Amino acid sequence: MFVINCPYCGERDQQEFKAGGEAHIERPKQPTELSDDEWAEYLFMRKNIKGVQFERWNHAHGCRKWFNMVRDTSNDEIKLVYKMGEKPPLE
Amino acid sequence: MKNKYSIFSLIKNAFSYHENWQKAWKDSQPKKEYDAVIVGGGGHGLATAYYLAKKHNMKNIAVVEKGWIGGGNTGRNTTIIRSNYLWDASAGLYDHALKIWEGLSQELNYNVMFSQRGVMNLAHNLQDVRDLKRRTHANRLNGIDAVYLNTEEVKKFCPIINTSPDIRYPVLGGTLQRRAGTARHDAVAWGYARGADDMGVDIIQNCEVKGIKRNSDSVEGIETTKGFIKTNKVGVVAAGHSSVIANMAGLRLPLESKPLQALVSEPVKPIIDTVVMSNAVHAYVSQSDKGELVIGAGTDDYVSYSQKGSHQIVEGTLNAILELYPIFSRMRMLRQWGGIVDICPDASPILSKTSVKGLYFNCGWGTGGFKATPGSGDLFAHTIANDEPHKLNAAFNLNRFVSGDLVDEHGAAAVAH
């Protein structure tokens, strides 16, 4: 994983990017209604998958835009990148 | 002990050219059922089994390890041992471990090469100075030895440090814990394995856990590559793979597994007789008994199980090492490797029961688990045997992420995570 294909800028060195953790964690629609357990689930609990995982990345030293990535965490192979707001691909 | 190591056994075995030493632990195969099974044969897992057998008289137990014992983070860390943590709960936990380290070689009849050469943490800006002074006071209130050193005292304690005021991150001071130091990482795993094996614990290597069998509220056993093992108590000590095991039981943990790298140089004559850590520029260095500089780098920011990290992380650490120690400018690095560390949101570990009866997790040690090995094993054994945490690990429960009672050691501890 030395080169990342930013959906806005194209292929750039990995050093320019910042990982933003698990993707598609939905912000609670009614935060005031949440129980402590639900808050813990939203804030702290992570899938932390060994295998194919959906992630957010930021082109921090480039266009500074956020995007999504599908990556195999067992060998760091990047499968796919797609823009924010786009539906995650079904696998 | 069946085969006590001593000067006499050394002489006796010299007569047979050291070819007849008894095996330190036997190659066990799984039985059908155990009173408890520990998943993970690293230092923490083996220590847990050792204390379960020794202090809680649970002898019908097994440690299952997917590779060979001590082959994960136990064999990959930079072996630094210290207890200078900020918060009371952490101070209690880590100093408990440090006190066991002080008598461990005698207790195990195995030389873990524990060397109290001191650990010095450097301050590079005014906020570092304030934080480190605060931590020194907190440590002393908790009965942990700590002193604050000014720049001249840092230079006197470790003369090869560049204390010139015109470097990019000048050394403004530092803290010193004299009781801290290093130990031989492999020996810790081997010593605990030998001790546990001697009390009847089965150490089963090349045995990967593939599933956890549970009913609606409790554990019934584990599926492994060597078949099903029935047990009512499963203690998971799987470091970077904790989330993978939790997933088998239908649980989620607040962990992210990330690569952490370290490297060693070619061996040279003794040049640095302590451990120096710098939080701000993220460079740690000590020297092994073989003469290699042992250098700890930082973590990458993405989840990975590949046991490989990014090149720029190593480059950043070596830049900092060269600025602080110009004498190393022509050193060549010999080996570099990565390990997968399980990091908690509050940079404190989890030693806890779970919502599943009989399933316990010891994880989240992140970048600094080695130092806690004996204490972690002791307290986790207590938790498993009594189905209740010891008072020293009560704060490190899983429920703290629900209650909000976090033990926030990010930055508060002596090192960046």
Side-chain angles (χ1 to χ4, degrees):
Chain A
M1 196 173 75
F2 302 112
V3 171
I4 293 174
N5 189 12
C6 170
Y8 303 96
C9 310
E11 292 188 344
R12 296 296 171 90
D13 193 292
Q14 184 200 323
Q15 280 194 61
E16 296 183 12
F17 296 84
K18 176 104 183 94
E22 191 179 319
H24 305 297
I25 299 174
E26 206 172 321
R27 193 178 164 78
K29 292 205 169 59
Q30 291 289 342
T32 48
E33 308 290 307
L34 247 49
S35 68
D36 288 352
D37 280 313
E38 287 164 329
W39 265 122
E41 197 65 27
Y42 167 68
L43 281 176
F44 298 124
M45 300 301 164
R46 293 293 176 263
K47 288 179 186 157
N48 198 25
I49 291 167
K50 182 180 186 176
V52 176
Q53 166 160 297
F54 295 83
E55 299 173 334
R56 297 179 305 171
W57 283 73
N58 182 235
H59 194 181
H61 301 287
C63 63
R64 302 181 66 188
K65 287 199 174 81
W66 285 88
F67 60 95
N68 292 313
M69 184 189 287
V70 186
R71 195 172 59 93
D72 189 335
T73 62
S74 64
N75 57 13
D76 294 333
E77 187 192 339
I78 299 169
K79 303 275 188 194
L80 194 71
V81 291
Y82 57 100
K83 290 178 181 172
M84 278 288 159
E86 288 178 12
K87 282 222 159 65
L90 298 166
E91 268 194 294
Chain B
M1 189 165 279
K2 56 193 172 192
N3 181 21
K4 193 171 188 313
Y5 294 150
S6 67
I7 183 74
F8 304 108
S9 70
L10 193 65
I11 293 166
K12 188 174 147 236
N13 278 281
F15 286 112
S16 54
Y17 303 98
H18 297 292
E19 286 171 354
N20 296 323
W21 283 99
Q22 203 176 0
K23 277 196 174 177
W25 58 88
K26 60 187 175 296
D27 192 18
S28 299
Q29 293 305 315
K31 290 190 242 169
K32 283 203 169 61
E33 187 174 354
Y34 289 99
D35 295 338
V37 175
I38 306 301
V39 178
H44 290 243
L46 293 163
T48 304
Y50 175 84
Y51 291 113
L52 274 174
K54 188 178 178 191
K55 293 174 89 168
H56 306 283
N57 206 29
M58 288 177 71
K59 307 269 164 96
N60 182 31
I61 61 174
V63 178
V64 294
E65 163 58 46
K66 87 173 162 183
W68 60 92
I69 60 167
N73 293 349
T74 299
R76 290 162 191 267
N77 68 87
T78 53
T79 77
I80 297 168
I81 295 163
R82 58 185 179 87
S83 64
N84 53 354
Y85 279 71
L86 178 70
W87 301 111
D88 294 350
S90 312
L93 181 69
Y94 291 102
D95 209 50
H96 177 63
L98 185 49
K99 283 177 187 139
I100 303 177
W101 277 114
E102 287 173 330
L104 192 61
S105 290
Q106 291 299 324
E107 183 185 340
L108 293 177
N109 178 231
Y110 202 99
N111 187 5
V112 298
M113 296 165 73
F114 180 52
S115 158
Q116 290 177 297
R117 59 184 68 183
V119 168
M120 186 160 68
N121 295 95
L122 301 179
H124 297 277
N125 56 49
L126 282 176
Q127 191 57 44
D128 277 358
V129 171
R130 293 185 197 109
D131 287 346
L132 263 57
K133 282 185 174 168
R134 179 193 178 202
R135 181 167 55 69
T136 309
H137 294 313
N139 288 160
R140 290 165 78 158
L141 286 171
N142 277 316
I144 293 168
D145 69 306
V147 285
Y148 186 82
L149 308 177
N150 62 28
T151 308
E152 290 73 42
E153 289 164 331
V154 167
K155 183 79 178 169
K156 197 167 168 226
F157 187 68
C158 185
I160 61 169
I161 292 181
N162 180 7
T163 50
S164 160
D166 58 4
I167 64 174
R168 177 67 183 83
Y169 298 103
V171 177
L172 301 185
T175 65
L176 175 61
Q177 185 182 19
R178 289 184 192 277
R179 283 166 64 231
T182 59
R184 169 100 173 111
H185 49 7
D186 294 326
V188 179
W190 298 338
Y192 273 121
R194 175 169 169 264
D197 180 83
D198 197 42
M199 290 182 285
V201 175
D202 280 351
I203 295 163
I204 305 159
Q205 303 185 81
N206 299 309
C207 180
E208 185 177 352
V209 173
K210 290 293 190 185
I212 292 182
K213 190 166 180 240
R214 55 169 285 195
N215 56 32
S216 58
D217 57 14
S218 62
V219 164
E220 293 175 332
I222 55 171
E223 286 294 347
T224 75
T225 48
K226 294 191 175 184
F228 180 72
I229 301 172
K230 194 176 169 201
T231 182
N232 292 323
K233 286 182 185 242
V234 177
V236 182
V237 201
H241 282 72
S242 298
S243 298
V244 177
I245 307 274
N247 190 34
M248 292 174 188
L251 300 176
R252 286 220 289 172
L253 295 172
L255 297 175
E256 285 192 310
S257 298
K258 296 177 176 178
L260 175 66
Q261 296 179 85
L263 51 163
V264 294
S265 72
E266 58 191 336
V268 291
K269 287 185 176 176
I271 182 74
I272 178 165
D273 63 356
T274 184
V275 182
V276 185
M277 308 175 68
S278 171
N279 183 353
V281 298
H282 218 292
Y284 333 150
V285 63
S286 63
Q287 191 171 16
S288 74
D289 290 2
K290 283 187 285 183
E292 304 153 322
L293 294 181
V294 182
I295 295 170
T299 51
D300 275 293
D301 59 355
Y302 53 85
V303 169
S304 176
Y305 289 84
S306 68
Q307 294 189 321
K308 280 180 278 194
S310 306
H311 291 234
Q312 75 266 17
I313 299 281
V314 168
E315 195 180 0
T317 291
L318 290 178
N319 284 344
I321 294 275
L322 287 190
E323 179 95 336
L324 278 173
Y325 311 92
I327 194 175
F328 295 151
S329 67
R330 294 185 188 183
M331 274 305 242
R332 284 167 296 187
M333 292 299 136
L334 211 57
R335 299 192 306 278
Q336 167 272 340
W337 64 90
I340 301 305
V341 298
D342 43 331
I343 298 177
C344 257
D346 60 355
S348 284
I350 296 166
L351 288 123
S352 180
K353 302 183 352 176
T354 63
S355 56
V356 182
K357 188 170 165 45
L359 183 62
Y360 308 87
F361 271 88
N362 181 353
C363 59
W365 290 96
T367 59
F370 178 74
K371 66 174 81 69
T373 305
S376 158
D378 182 34
L379 299 171
F380 197 47
H382 180 102
T383 308
I384 293 173
N386 299 303
D387 197 35
E388 276 303 322
H390 188 277
K391 68 177 184 341
L392 286 175
N393 68 311
F396 298 94
N397 59 58
L398 253 176
N399 197 50
R400 73 178 189 265
F401 299 97
V402 177
S403 68
D405 195 9
L406 304 178
V407 187
D408 190 5
E409 288 287 354
H410 262 301
V415 65
H417 289 267

